[in-house]
Amino acid sequence: MRPALGGRGDVASVHGAWHASHASRPHGPTDHIPFDEPRCVPVGSASVRLVSSVSSPVPDVSGPWQDAARGAALLDADGRGRPTIFAEMSALSLATGAVNLGQGFPDYAGPQEVLDAAVAAIRAGRNQYPPGRGVPELLDAIAEHHDRFYGIALDPKTDVLVTAGATEGLAAIFLALVRPGDEVVCFEPYYDAYGADIARAGGVQVNVPLRWRPATLTDAATFVLDPADLRAACSERTRMIVVNTPHNPTGTISRDSTLELIAELARAHNAIVVSDEVYEHLMFGVPHHPMAWFAPERTLTLGSGGKTFSVTGWKCGWITGPAELIDAVIGMKQWLTYVNGAPFQPAIATGLRLPDAVYTRGADELRDRRDLLCSALSEVGFEVALPDAGYFVIADAAPLGAVDGDAFCRGLPERCGVVAIPVTAFCAPGRDDLATLVRFAYCKSDDTLAEAARRLRTLTR
Ligand code: PMP
Ligand code: GLN
C-alpha cells in the first residue's frame, strides 16, 4: 500500500498534494505513482479519490482557449495562460490588504427595491430555467426602458436577448458573427474581453488609437480620436466596428460626430456595429447617445443590469437590435449558458421600471465619488483626465516618477496600500505612449475612498 499523502491525509494536506503535483507540471507528470496502487487515501476514516496525484500522463491542454488568452495578451511563451489583470489585482488587494481601486465593482448596495425583488423572486419559487430569450417581464422592461430613455421602439419578442452579463453577450456576438479572417475594428484602449473573444472567433482585431492629450493652458487632459485613423482602419474586410460608450477605461462619451462616422463607415462596408453601452446611466453632465440612433439596422447594443443597479455579481445583461442579428446571436448563446439567472431577471425588470430620480441619484452619487478621488489624485501630483461617465478615472503617474504603469501598479500596494490597473492592460503590446497611465476605480463607498485618499497622500516620489 502506498502511504497516505500528507500524513494522515487531512483535507488541507490533500490540497497541498494537489498543488505540489500540479504547480510543477502544467504539461506533463513529474511524480510517479504506479497505476496498480490504490488511488484512494484515508481522510480520517473516509476516503478521497486523489485523481490529480496519479501519474498517468496529463492530457495535452493546448486548445482554443489559448487563442482567447493570446487575444487578451495573456498567453506566455510556453503556452500557459495568465488570469486577467482584474483577477490578478483583486487577488493582490486581498493578499496585501490594499484598498482595491482596481476591479470595477461597487462596494455599496444597489437600490433596495431591486434587492428586495430578487429575494421575493427566489421565495416565490422562480428558481428554474427561464425562457431562452429571457423572462417576458424583463424583455418588456428592456423595451420600455429603450423607449423611455432613447425613444427607440423594440419588439420585446424579437429584438431583445437577456445574457449572463454583458460579458456573455459579447462572447455570443463575436463567436456568432465573426468568421475566420474577418476584421473587427476596436478603439484602443479597449475592454479586455473584446480581444479574447475576437481572437477565439478567428477574427483579426484592427485597433484605432485613442490618444492621450495632456492638459494645456486652456484644456484639461483627455483622450482624443483622429477620425482619419478610424477611416483608415475600415475596409471591405471589416466585419464589425466595436464602439464602447461611455468608454472603459477612459470614461469618455462618444460625441455624435464619432457615432455618425461609425455609422457611415459601417454602411459603406456593410459591417455590423457592436455598441457596448453598459455604463449608459452613469454619466456626469455630458449626455450619452446610443449608437442605435445612428445605425439602427446594423447595431447590436449591450446593456448591463449589474452596472446600472450596482449588482455586478448577478451577471444579468442584455443585447438589443434587429431580429435577424439577435437570432444569430441566440444561435450561439444557447450553447454557452443556454439561460441565466432566473430570479435576477424579474429583479432587474423592477429596477428598469424605477422612476428617473433613482437613475439620477445613482449618477449623482457616483459623480461625488469621482470628484473625491480625482481631487485626491490631483493633490498627490497625478495628472488626471476627469471622466464624463462610468466607474473609472485615468491618471498619469509620470509626475510621480513612474516610467512604467505596470510596474507602478504592482508596487503600489507595498508603497501605499492601494491597488490600481495599468492602462496598458487595455492595449495590444506597443502603446508606449500610454505607458505611464493608470486606471483607478471610484465606484467605492465614501469610507473606502477616504481611506484610499489618505493612503495615496503618503505617496512620495
Ligand atoms: N463591457 C465593459 C466596457 C465593461 O467594463 C464590463 C465590465 N465591467 C462589461 C462589458 C461586462 O459587463 P457584465 O458585468 O455585465 O458582464
Ligand atoms: N469590467 C470590470 C473592470 O473593468 C471588471 C470585470 C472583470 O473582472 N472582468 O474593472
Side-chain angles (χ1 to χ4, degrees):
M1 271 289 273
R2 180 171 170 267
L5 284 171
R8 287 197 314 281
D10 59 287
V11 173
S13 52
V14 167
H15 207 144
W18 188 93
H19 279 297
S21 63
H22 268 65
S24 59
R25 49 164 229 209
H27 303 302
T30 55
D31 54 346
H32 300 280
I33 304 169
F35 281 125
D36 56 354
E37 289 205 8
R39 311 239 162 89
C40 292
V41 289
V43 174
S45 59
S47 68
V48 160
R49 194 169 282 273
L50 272 178
V51 175
S52 322
S53 68
V54 299
S55 70
S56 54
V58 172
D60 177 0
V61 296
S62 63
W65 69 268
Q66 290 168 312
D67 297 334
R70 192 178 299 109
L74 291 175
L75 192 70
D76 286 342
D78 65 358
R80 291 197 226 189
R82 278 175 282 124
T84 73
I85 189 75
F86 309 114
E88 193 184 344
M89 288 302 185
S90 282
L92 188 61
S93 154
L94 271 179
T96 61
V99 178
N100 191 353
L101 302 188
Q103 198 173 27
F105 62 89
D107 64 353
Y108 45 85
Q112 194 59 45
E113 299 90 325
V114 177
L115 306 179
D116 290 345
V119 174
I122 291 172
R123 292 225 161 94
R126 304 191 65 175
N127 301 308
Q128 310 307 331
Y129 299 132
R133 285 178 189 261
V135 301
E137 70 225 80
L138 179 55
L139 299 176
D140 289 347
I142 292 166
E144 285 164 26
H145 166 275
H146 277 51
D147 183 33
R148 169 175 155 199
F149 287 100
Y150 307 127
I152 292 176
L154 296 172
D155 182 339
K157 292 196 173 56
T158 57
D159 306 343
V160 185
L161 171 64
V162 174
T163 56
T167 306
E168 189 210 22
L170 287 163
I173 290 172
F174 291 120
L175 294 177
L177 292 163
V178 174
R179 301 152 304 188
D182 278 345
E183 290 191 358
V184 180
V185 173
C186 296
F187 297 93
E188 184 186 49
Y190 52 85
Y191 185 54
D192 64 347
Y194 309 159
D197 293 340
I198 293 165
R200 175 60 196 99
V204 177
Q205 191 176 338
V206 178
N207 293 326
V208 176
L210 299 176
R211 296 183 203 280
W212 171 252
R213 196 189 63 197
T216 62
L217 281 180
T218 49
D219 294 310
T222 189
F223 281 84
V224 286
L225 166 73
D226 182 343
D229 289 333
L230 179 53
R231 281 188 188 282
C234 296
S235 71
E236 72 284 355
R237 293 182 301 280
T238 305
R239 171 66 163 166
M240 268 181 197
I241 304 176
V242 182
V243 56
N244 173 207
T245 181
H247 185 257
N248 178 8
T250 67
T252 52
I253 289 182
S254 296
R255 302 304 192 258
D256 286 0
S257 55
T258 303
L259 301 180
E260 276 159 10
L261 179 57
I262 291 168
E264 176 201 320
L265 292 166
R267 281 200 186 103
H269 301 296
N270 198 20
I272 297 163
V273 182
V274 174
S275 193
D276 179 343
E277 302 183 11
V278 299
Y279 300 103
E280 63 190 314
H281 289 292
L282 309 177
M283 59 200 162
F284 320 123
V286 178
H288 160 70
H289 290 168
M291 182 68 218
W293 278 359
F294 301 86
E297 80 289 359
R298 60 186 64 248
T299 299
L300 285 168
T301 304
L302 295 120
S304 170
K307 289 284 159 13
T308 298
F309 302 113
S310 304
V311 286
T312 59
W314 287 10
K315 300 304 292 185
C316 184
W318 51 85
I319 305 172
T320 53
E324 298 74 16
L325 287 176
I326 293 286
D327 283 349
V329 177
I330 290 176
M332 186 57 68
K333 185 248 160 41
Q334 66 189 350
W335 306 117
L336 296 173
T337 52
Y338 176 48
V339 293
N340 58 282
F344 298 127
Q345 294 194 26
I348 295 294
T350 300
L352 288 170
R353 290 177 165 139
L354 289 172
D356 288 4
V358 176
Y359 289 85
T360 319
R361 196 184 326 127
D364 288 350
E365 286 172 2
L366 196 58
R367 184 200 335 237
D368 292 343
R369 303 178 201 283
R370 173 199 70 168
D371 292 346
L372 205 161
L373 183 62
C374 288
S375 50
L377 290 169
S378 302
E379 205 184 297
V380 174
F382 289 93
E383 177 165 29
V384 172
L386 196 68
D388 293 331
Y391 277 172
F392 311 108
V393 52
I394 290 190
D396 189 357
L400 283 99
V403 286
D404 174 357
D406 190 70
F408 179 85
C409 287
R410 284 174 204 287
L412 207 55
E414 193 172 322
R415 279 179 75 189
C416 78
V418 172
V419 160
I421 306 271
V423 169
T424 48
F426 301 84
C427 301
R431 284 301 299 273
D432 297 342
D433 55 320
L434 307 183
T436 56
L437 303 186
V438 174
R439 189 194 83 170
F440 291 90
Y442 49 78
C443 49
K444 306 292 171 183
S445 68
D446 289 353
D447 286 350
T448 305
L449 289 174
E451 178 59 18
R454 190 189 66 71
R455 294 182 183 200
L456 285 165
R457 285 192 189 100
T458 66
L459 261 187
T460 45
R461 276 195 64 142

